[in-house]
Amino acid sequence: QVQLAESGGGLVQPGGSLILSCAASSRTIFSIYAMGWYRQAPGKQRELVASITRGGVTDYADSVKGRFTISRDNANKVDLQLDSLKPEDTAVYSCNADAFVVSRGRMDFWGKGTLVTVSS
């Protein structure tokens, strides 16, 4: 199957910045249709933060537009630049990949999640 390796979470003060990275890998041949980051804060539903398709089309939550930027390093790796962080951005951020796996088909994969805490 496809494994998603996440990095970059941590503690940052309001107004600060952070970079989250996610890399997809597998023992089998696979192709990524889209990758993105979701987040879930205590007492709230999980929401899409940002995503990017194989063709480079991006989508952002209204709450992060102008502050977060998602980009592709290559077909299997994405970075999320988080700027001007606010306390309400505090959440567990999880990487997601919409992928086609040879001999298995199109499947959805999730990383373990990384905690981003924005606090003074």
Side-chain angles (χ1 to χ4, degrees):
Q1 304 298 324
V2 176
Q3 290 77 48
L4 302 179
E6 304 162 321
S7 64
L11 175 65
V12 62
Q13 66 182 28
S17 298
L18 210 61
I19 299 176
L20 302 181
S21 297
C22 179
S25 63
S26 177
R27 295 180 63 185
T28 60
I29 302 298
F30 70 101
S31 180
I32 301 291
Y33 290 115
M35 295 184 72
W37 286 92
Y38 288 73
R39 70 183 181 187
Q40 186 168 27
K44 295 185 177 181
Q45 293 184 318
R46 185 173 64 187
E47 65 173 346
L48 173 69
V49 178
S51 64
I52 185 167
T53 70
R54 182 168 54 189
V57 178
T58 59
D59 190 25
Y60 296 92
D62 289 340
S63 60
V64 308
K65 288 181 179 178
R67 299 189 298 119
F68 293 4
T69 304
I70 191 168
S71 61
R72 293 173 57 197
D73 288 349
N74 53 57
N76 301 325
K77 185 179 179 183
V78 295
D79 295 325
L80 182 67
Q81 175 73 47
L82 299 79
D83 295 320
S84 302
L85 284 162
K86 305 175 181 179
E88 51 263 44
D89 293 319
T90 296
V92 173
Y93 287 70
S94 300
C95 181
N96 172 263
D98 177 10
F100 179 88
V101 180
V102 174
S103 298
R104 291 296 306 277
R106 190 168 181 172
M107 304 177 69
D108 213 29
F109 299 93
W110 292 91
K112 296 180 180 180
T114 184
L115 178 63
V116 172
T117 302
V118 184
S119 176
S120 297

